[in-house]
Amino acid sequence: MVATTFDPTAAVSLTLAAQRYFATKLAGQAGKLIRVSTKASGCTGFAYVLDMVEQAQEGDQLLTFGDVALAVDPAALELIQGTEIDLVKDG
């Protein structure tokens, strides 16, 4: 068992389950990374957007979690600061 401490000042963090999921999706996709951004979404304000991309965009904050490279859109950073991305399977 691995114990981690939640850091609300971190840009974004990934749970081990999310790291494994993204690593599987990126396997065989040399050079690709996951980009996190947000978009306006009706009455609720914003929606999270996760894309597999060839490269980060200018100004993105680059983070590495094991074999997973994550780029965070600077416009989304203040909205998602401290967010922990997890993988949960229903059913």
Side-chain angles (χ1 to χ4, degrees), residues 11-12 33-40 46-51 53 55-63 70-81 85:
V12 174
L33 52 96
I34 302 297
R35 185 165 191 270
V36 181
S37 60
T38 56
K39 68 177 182 176
F46 294 93
Y48 300 108
V49 179
L50 298 169
D51 293 307
V53 297
Q55 64 185 21
Q57 293 184 13
E58 187 174 332
D60 282 356
Q61 182 171 354
L62 295 174
L63 307 169
L70 194 72
V72 181
D73 179 350
L77 192 55
E78 78 176 56
L79 296 170
I80 64 173
Q81 183 83 30
I85 299 172

